[in-house]
């Protein structure tokens, strides 16, 4: 028989036989099960109520091993343990006791054998798993593995943390939807702390309610298939660059100066608080220019605002944008910004990632000197302050602008390759950063890594799967057509690497012409929905804020496919646009800042198809709105539901929200009473407020209820599956010398303010000119040292008056101004 062996990274797997192809092994596997009369793998159970576990009461022993037939002693790691077949049973005469007397890492568990004994499953269905147990320790998790048609046996997920129980106690939990390509699962209680666990009477039944046929697959075109967009009659009173959903249900729309130099010079900085329930806006006094700041929710629901804009770039590009050192917290209880201590450096376009202990790590952006910031910032939630130099851990590495930094289940940060402006980072363009150890390990496979400017990356539902999708993007510096590429990565794999996913669906342009060839989108928005799918919407063909693309689709992580052809937002959504999930399941879209400096302040709301598919389930009660890690939480509902989740509220700007995540809540169902299991790992669900929703068998979600994860002072002892072990990180520079040598990093060209339709990469023709006749612009540029420049794209500034393909050459001047420096190239630093 083929039994699993332990290893860090899955806890349990099917070993690859030496010198034998996997295909032959699987063929033998199928023949073996067929010979036993068990039918082909993946065959549906005969009846919905049948117990799919063989030898569920552990009564039949295997002759040679004297262990219960169809079960095995499993586990991994450095620990001392014993397995005992005992007569201390819940029913019958046998149960299995596992005891750990010493544990450095890993676990031990009784599980079904990974052969014909493993219960068969059908993709798309869900199953209720249960057993009876006694335990002396809280360090027990119900763990599931699945057999994948391509990958073989792989770790799937932890469904529940089990409370200690001196007497016999029954635990039951519902699996997520079985992924495609999965034909069997195996599962059991994993003991990962010193103590004992005794189990008996295993059961597994199909819990799936057959769904009605889907009319949208047979030509349906109504809102139940396409959804519906509505443009609000009242326009936003601010140029919303940033959208942050608060746990009050209101949306903080931050503009600062709103990419308007006149507003900046007047000291006019704006924020509005939008109430989706009433459509009302409240003006929020804004102390500094939060244009292009970072932001993230803190565990108590306040919003940390990181840096912002200290000064705009000079029109000739001699000085770039400069980042603010100051930082504020927005308090929803008082509708007020409150200053906290300054950061170590200035930051314009920084990322901000919530960590498992409630702290925030902020990376990247431009400093006070307009050069790339290499200083890491660490906000201590307990101390309510940015840590001083010496406490904030440094790698002295430059992470670019708005680098997408997603927290992984082991506490490391995954730089996905999504960023803003210009080329990506050197190397493969994606990496894993161990903030605590100061090591960086490159991750391969991301395609067109230097064309991921304002692509968007999403930690796919559920967060427990640790899969990340990166979609679309362009390059602000050279401005090719945006592409359609979608790349996926499984961060639980031993050696994670991006692999190609399905291309983005294509839409149409403002004139109705369709996208063709490889044309895709930059400025794309991606929003996780409560049914576990991802809405992608908005975008443009070029980073010059032109050629908006009207297209929207749903990506389904379960099938790795897009559902194209949704209704599209009537408002262009290009530069400085964002989309945000609302607690009622709708999506709010704001912003559009094309190259002429205008800003579309219309607000659109999208109702996804699930809002047109019948009555919504309702959460009628929540026993407690403050949830501890590893706990079980009881809710009641008004109709049968098949899944539940927590979604972290959005804090999005520039196609970037690295904290967006959907956490699966395995269910124990008793009629309309549902017990939900929250993960014990705070890296999967960093502390804070989340939207709790349930979904019925038709895919219709409830309105969300707000719950707070991790009460004051509680930081869970995380149970972490080791993974990505073959990624070897190289240590970053340390010490004072490194700091002196990395005061600034020269940025790729392409800050806001540069139009790269003209000349070389190092030339920066401003987006807007001083007031003057259009014909005199070349004269003005010549005074600033600009010379002849080839025209690469649209001549929006009419600098090529004689239309010979070269701007500001002899035929393009009026002669009204002297031309000092003609023929020289002006470099943007």
């Amino acid at each position: 028989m083929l039994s699993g062996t332990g290893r860090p990274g899955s806890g349990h797997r099917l070993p690859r036989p030496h010198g034998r192809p996997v295909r032959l092994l699987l063929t033998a596997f199928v023949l073996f099960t067929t010979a036993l009369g068990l039918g082909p793998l993946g065959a549906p159970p005969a009846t919905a109520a049948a117990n799919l576990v063989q030898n569920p009461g552990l009564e039949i022993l295997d002759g040679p091993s004297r262990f219960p037939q169809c079960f095995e002693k499993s586990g991994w790691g450095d620990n001392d343990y014993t397995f005992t077949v005992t007569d201390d049973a819940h029913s019958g005469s046998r149960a299995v006791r596992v005891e750990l007397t010493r544990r450095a890492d890993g676990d031990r568990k009784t599980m079904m054998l990974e052969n014909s004994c493993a219960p068969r499953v059908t993709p798309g269905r869900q199953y209720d798993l249960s057993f009876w147990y006694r335990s002396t320790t809280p360090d027990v998790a119900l763990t599931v593995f699945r057999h994948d048609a391509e990958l073989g046996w792989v770790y799937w997920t932890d469904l529940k943390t089990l409370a200690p129980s001196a007497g016999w106690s029954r635990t039951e939990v519902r699996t997520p939807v079985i992924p495609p390509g999965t034909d069997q699962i195996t599962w059991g209680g994993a003991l990962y702390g010193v103590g004992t666990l005794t189990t008996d009477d295993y059961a597994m039944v199909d819990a799936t309610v057959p769904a009605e046929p889907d009319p949208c697959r047979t030509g349906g075109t109504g809102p139940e298939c396409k959804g519906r967009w509505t443009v609000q009659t009242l326009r936003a009173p601010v140029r919303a660059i940033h959208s942050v959903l608060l746990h009050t249900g209101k949306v903080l729309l931050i503009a600062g100066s709103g990419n308007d130099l006149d507003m900046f010079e007047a000291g006019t900085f704006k924020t509005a608080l939008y109430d989706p329930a009433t459509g009302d806006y409240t003006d929020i006094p804004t102390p500094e220019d939060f244009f292009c700041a970072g932001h993230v929710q803190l565990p108590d629901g306040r919003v940390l605002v990181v840096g912002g804009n200290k000064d705009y770039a000079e029109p000739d590009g001699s000085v770039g944008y400069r980042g603010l050192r100051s930082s504020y917290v927005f308090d929803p209880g008082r509708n007020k910004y409150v200053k906290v201590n300054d950061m170590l450096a200035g930051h314009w376009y920084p990322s901000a990632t919530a960590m498992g202990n409630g702290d925030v790590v902020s990376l990247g952006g431009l400093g006070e000197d307009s050069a790339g910031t290499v200083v890491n910032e660490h906000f201590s939630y307990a101390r309510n302050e940015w840590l001083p130099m010496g406490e904030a851990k440094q790698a002295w590495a430059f992470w670019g602008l708005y680098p997408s930094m997603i927290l992984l289940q082991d506490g490391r940060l995954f730089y996905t390759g999504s960023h803003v402006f210009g080329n990506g980072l050197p190397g493969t363009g994606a990496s894993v950063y161990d903030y605590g150890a100061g090591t960086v390990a490159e991750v391969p496979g991301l395609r067109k890594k230097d064309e991921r400017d304002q692509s968007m990356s999403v930690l796919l539902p559920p967060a427990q799967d640790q899969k990340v999708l990166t979609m679309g993007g362009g390059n602000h510096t050279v401005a090719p057509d945006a592409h359609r590429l979608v790349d996926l990565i499984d961060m639980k794999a031993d050696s994670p690497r991006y692999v190609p996913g399905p291309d983005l669906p294509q839409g149409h342009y403002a004139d109705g012409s369709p996208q063709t060839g490889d044309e895709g989108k930059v400025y794309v928005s991606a929003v996780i929905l409560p049914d576990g799918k991802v809405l992608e919407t908005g975008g443009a063909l070029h980073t010059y804020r032109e050629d908006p693309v009207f297209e929207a689709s749903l990506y389904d992580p379960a099938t790795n496919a897009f559902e194209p052809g949704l209704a599209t937002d009537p408002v262009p959504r290009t530069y400085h646009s964002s989309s945000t999930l609302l607690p009622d399941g709708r999506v709010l879209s704001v912003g559009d800042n094309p190259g002429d400096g205008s800003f579309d302040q219309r607000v659109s709301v999208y109702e996804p198809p699930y809002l047109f598919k019948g009555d919504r389930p309702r959460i009628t009660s929540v026993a407690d709105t403050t949830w501890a890690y590893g706990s079980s939480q009881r809710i009641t509902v008004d109709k049968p539901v098949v899944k539940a989740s927590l979604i972290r509220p959005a804090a999005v700007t520039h196609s970037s929200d690295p904290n967006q995540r959907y956490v699966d809540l395995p269910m124990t169902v008793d009629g309309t009473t549902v017990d939900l299991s929250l993960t014990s790992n705070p890296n999967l669900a960093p502390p804070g407020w989340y939207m709790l929703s349930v979904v019925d068998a038709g895919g219709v979600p409830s309105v969300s209820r707000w719950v707070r994860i991790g009460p004051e002072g509680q930081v869970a002892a995380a149970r972490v599956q080791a993974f990505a072990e073959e990624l070897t990180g190289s240590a970053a520079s340390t010490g004072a010398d490194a700091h002196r040598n990395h005061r600034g990093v020269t940025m790729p060209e392409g800050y806001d303010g540069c139009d790269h339709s003209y000349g070389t990469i190092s030339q920066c023709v401003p987006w807007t000119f001083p007031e003057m006749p259009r014909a005199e612009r070349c004269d003005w540029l010549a005074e600033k040292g600009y010379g002849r420049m080839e025209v690469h794209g649209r001549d929006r500034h009419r600098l090529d008056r004689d239309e010979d393909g070269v701007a500001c050459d002899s035929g393009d001047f009026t002669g009204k101004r002297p031309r000092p420096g003609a023929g020289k190239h002006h470099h943007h630093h």
Side-chain angles (χ1 to χ4, degrees):
M1 283 195 176
L2 303 165
S3 65
T5 58
R7 59 146 172 119
S10 72
H12 180 92
R13 73 171 175 186
L14 189 71
R16 179 172 295 182
H18 297 293
R20 292 176 60 190
V22 174
R23 186 184 304 122
L24 293 178
L25 171 64
L26 294 178
T27 302
F29 191 18
V30 174
L31 292 174
F32 173 62
T33 54
T34 306
L36 290 178
L38 298 174
L41 297 179
T47 63
N51 186 356
L52 303 177
V53 178
Q54 299 182 51
N55 193 23
L58 310 178
E59 297 300 300
I60 304 169
L61 298 186
D62 176 69
S65 70
R66 306 305 295 165
F67 201 70
Q69 199 173 84
C70 276
F71 285 79
E72 66 169 339
K73 307 169 186 178
S74 182
W76 66 280
D78 178 10
N79 46 68
D80 296 337
Y81 61 91
T82 57
F83 284 84
T84 306
V85 178
T86 173
D87 59 4
D88 175 19
H90 169 254
S91 70
S93 58
R94 292 193 177 96
V96 171
R97 177 177 296 134
V98 187
E99 180 173 12
L100 254 63
T101 55
R102 180 193 64 84
R103 189 252 185 195
D105 62 13
D107 60 30
R108 294 294 149 182
K109 45 194 174 269
T110 302
M111 299 186 74
M112 300 101 202
L113 280 164
E114 293 174 333
N115 57 16
S116 60
C117 292
R120 293 187 296 279
V121 293
T122 301
R125 299 192 181 188
Q126 293 177 274
Y127 296 82
D128 286 335
L129 316 180
S130 65
F131 58 72
W132 289 81
Y133 76 96
R134 297 171 64 173
S135 168
T136 65
T137 171
D139 297 333
V140 176
L142 201 160
T143 298
V144 187
F145 297 78
R146 65 184 186 89
H147 184 258
D148 185 279
E150 295 183 7
L151 303 176
W153 283 102
V154 292
Y155 167 73
W156 185 15
T157 188
D158 284 354
L159 288 178
K160 188 177 186 177
T161 303
L162 308 186
S165 178
W168 283 102
S169 179
R170 182 175 181 270
T171 185
E172 180 178 87
V173 66
R174 184 162 293 176
T175 69
V177 173
I178 301 296
T182 302
D183 51 24
Q184 292 177 290
I185 65 171
T186 180
W187 52 276
L191 176 63
Y192 59 95
V194 172
T196 63
L197 169 66
T198 307
T199 57
D200 196 8
D201 292 336
Y202 291 71
M204 172 176 163
V205 297
D206 191 335
T208 302
V209 178
E212 295 295 322
D214 185 356
C216 299
R217 299 192 182 280
T218 56
T221 58
E224 72 280 3
C225 302
K226 306 295 186 183
R228 181 173 67 197
W229 288 91
T230 304
V231 180
Q232 308 297 87
T233 54
L234 187 63
R235 299 189 177 206
V238 301
R239 293 160 64 109
I241 309 292
H242 310 262
S243 303
V244 184
L245 177 62
L246 307 175
H247 73 280
T248 60
K250 299 178 181 179
V251 183
L252 193 68
L253 299 175
I254 304 174
S257 62
N259 199 19
D260 185 330
L261 182 58
D262 293 339
M263 298 268 281
F264 177 81
E265 292 180 341
T268 305
F269 310 132
K270 292 187 175 183
T271 301
L273 189 63
Y274 174 64
D275 187 344
T278 64
D280 295 336
Y281 292 90
T282 303
D283 179 64
I284 305 294
T286 305
E288 295 192 55
D289 191 4
F290 298 150
F291 168 54
C292 298
H295 37 55
V296 62
Q297 284 94 347
L298 295 172
D300 58 7
R302 295 176 301 148
V303 177
L304 179 66
V305 180
V306 183
N309 181 38
K310 185 174 182 177
D311 200 0
Y312 275 70
E314 291 293 327
D316 67 356
S318 59
V319 178
Y321 282 84
R322 298 196 292 160
L324 283 175
R325 185 187 292 256
S326 51
S327 179
Y328 290 76
V329 169
F330 179 78
D331 183 348
R334 295 187 285 167
N335 280 356
K336 182 179 179 182
Y337 287 108
V338 179
K339 197 175 192 309
V340 294
N341 65 315
D342 286 353
M343 297 179 288
L344 298 171
H347 293 271
W348 185 77
Y349 279 67
S351 68
T353 301
M355 306 297 280
N357 64 353
D359 288 1
V360 172
V361 170
S362 181
L363 305 167
L366 301 185
E368 291 178 299
D369 60 356
S370 82
T373 302
V374 298
V375 178
N376 291 348
E377 308 284 355
H378 184 148
F379 185 83
S380 167
Y381 174 65
R383 290 159 51 174
N384 197 47
E385 67 176 16
W386 293 99
L387 296 183
M389 188 66 74
E391 293 186 52
K393 297 181 182 298
Q394 301 298 328
W396 307 122
F398 180 60
W399 291 102
L401 276 66
Y402 283 136
S404 180
M405 286 282 185
I406 292 175
L407 178 69
L408 299 176
Q409 66 175 3
D410 67 353
R412 293 184 294 176
L413 296 171
F414 174 44
Y415 169 59
T416 68
S418 287
H419 58 276
V420 178
F421 292 159
N423 294 344
L425 298 186
T428 62
S431 57
V432 172
Y433 174 35
D434 188 326
Y435 171 74
T439 57
V440 180
E442 291 197 1
V443 173
L446 182 65
R447 295 175 293 171
K448 291 199 174 183
K449 65 100 173 174
D450 288 334
E451 294 180 32
R452 292 292 182 169
D453 182 347
Q454 286 169 93
S455 61
M456 190 155 185
S457 296
V458 183
L459 178 65
L460 290 174
Q464 287 92 331
D465 281 0
Q466 296 284 281
K467 291 181 179 177
V468 174
L469 174 145
T470 296
M471 62 172 77
N475 183 305
H476 185 87
T477 307
V478 295
D481 289 351
H483 59 77
R484 304 173 60 191
L485 300 182
V486 174
D487 287 332
L488 288 160
I489 189 166
D490 181 356
M491 295 306 299
K492 285 196 301 192
D494 284 343
S495 300
R497 66 176 296 118
Y498 272 110
V499 297
D503 286 347
L504 275 175
Q506 291 178 304
H508 63 272
Y509 300 109
D511 64 0
S513 62
Q515 288 194 291
T516 59
D518 296 326
E519 294 173 348
K521 297 199 295 187
V522 64
Y523 309 131
V524 64
S525 289
V527 181
I528 293 174
L529 301 180
D531 63 355
K533 296 178 182 178
V534 179
L535 170 72
E536 65 84 14
T537 181
L541 181 64
H542 294 119
T543 50
Y544 293 150
R545 309 160 204 184
E546 299 291 339
D547 305 315
V549 176
F550 297 88
E551 182 273 332
S553 70
L554 289 172
Y555 174 79
D556 187 348
T559 61
N560 186 26
F562 286 96
E563 301 171 32
L566 298 183
T568 60
D569 191 340
V571 181
R573 299 294 179 194
T574 64
Y575 192 47
H576 287 150
S577 64
S578 60
S579 297
T580 303
L581 175 70
L582 299 176
D584 60 9
R586 298 180 300 160
V587 175
L588 178 78
S589 289
V590 298
D592 179 52
N593 191 188
D596 61 7
S598 66
F599 201 103
D600 195 319
Q601 290 172 230
R602 288 178 291 174
V603 176
S604 301
V605 173
Y606 180 60
E607 298 165 277
Y610 54 52
L611 295 182
F612 301 93
K613 294 188 175 181
D615 292 338
R616 305 178 70 173
R618 286 193 308 120
I619 301 174
T620 51
S621 72
V622 179
D624 190 354
T625 57
T626 303
W627 293 11
Y629 288 105
S631 64
S632 180
Q633 299 291 333
R634 176 160 292 181
I635 65 171
T636 59
V637 294
D638 68 344
K639 60 187 291 191
V641 296
V642 298
K643 63 182 174 183
S645 67
L646 296 174
I647 295 181
R648 187 176 176 93
V652 61
T653 186
H654 293 78
S655 302
S656 182
D657 183 5
N659 300 289
Q660 184 178 205
R661 61 182 56 213
Y662 169 115
V663 181
D664 185 50
L665 296 171
M667 303 189 307
T668 301
V669 181
D670 183 4
T672 57
T673 300
V674 182
D675 288 332
L676 305 173
S677 296
L678 176 64
T679 176
S680 62
N681 186 349
N683 295 327
L684 284 174
W689 287 90
Y690 286 76
M691 290 179 280
L692 164 68
S693 61
V694 295
V695 179
D696 70 15
V700 179
S702 67
V703 171
S704 295
R705 301 280 291 265
W706 288 97
V707 298
R708 182 175 172 186
I709 305 307
E712 284 290 342
Q714 188 215 12
V715 176
R719 174 175 185 260
V720 178
Q721 294 273 8
F723 67 102
E725 60 194 27
E726 294 176 24
L727 284 180
T728 55
S730 57
S733 301
T734 57
D737 288 341
H739 190 199
R740 282 198 299 269
N741 293 337
H742 293 81
R743 288 189 182 277
V745 174
T746 301
M747 285 297 302
E749 298 304 326
Y751 306 154
D752 193 0
C754 302
D755 184 342
H756 290 296
S757 293
Y758 303 95
T760 67
I761 288 177
S762 65
Q763 290 175 296
C764 177
V765 173
W767 284 109
T768 56
F769 281 79
E771 287 294 327
M772 68 177 72
R774 187 186 293 266
E776 294 183 20
R777 290 178 174 177
C778 280
D779 302 77
W780 182 86
L781 287 170
E783 291 178 4
K784 304 294 183 183
Y786 289 76
R788 302 170 71 254
M789 298 174 289
E790 289 188 25
V791 180
H792 304 299
R794 182 178 302 170
D795 181 17
R796 79 176 71 251
H797 296 311
R798 304 294 290 275
L799 303 181
D800 182 16
R801 298 173 64 211
D802 59 4
E803 298 184 354
D804 64 353
V806 179
C808 297
D809 65 354
S810 58
D812 300 321
F813 290 92
T814 64
K816 292 183 179 180
R817 293 169 180 253
R819 295 198 289 137
K824 297 180 181 177
H825 282 181
H826 176 84
H827 291 273
H828 172 208
H829 297 290

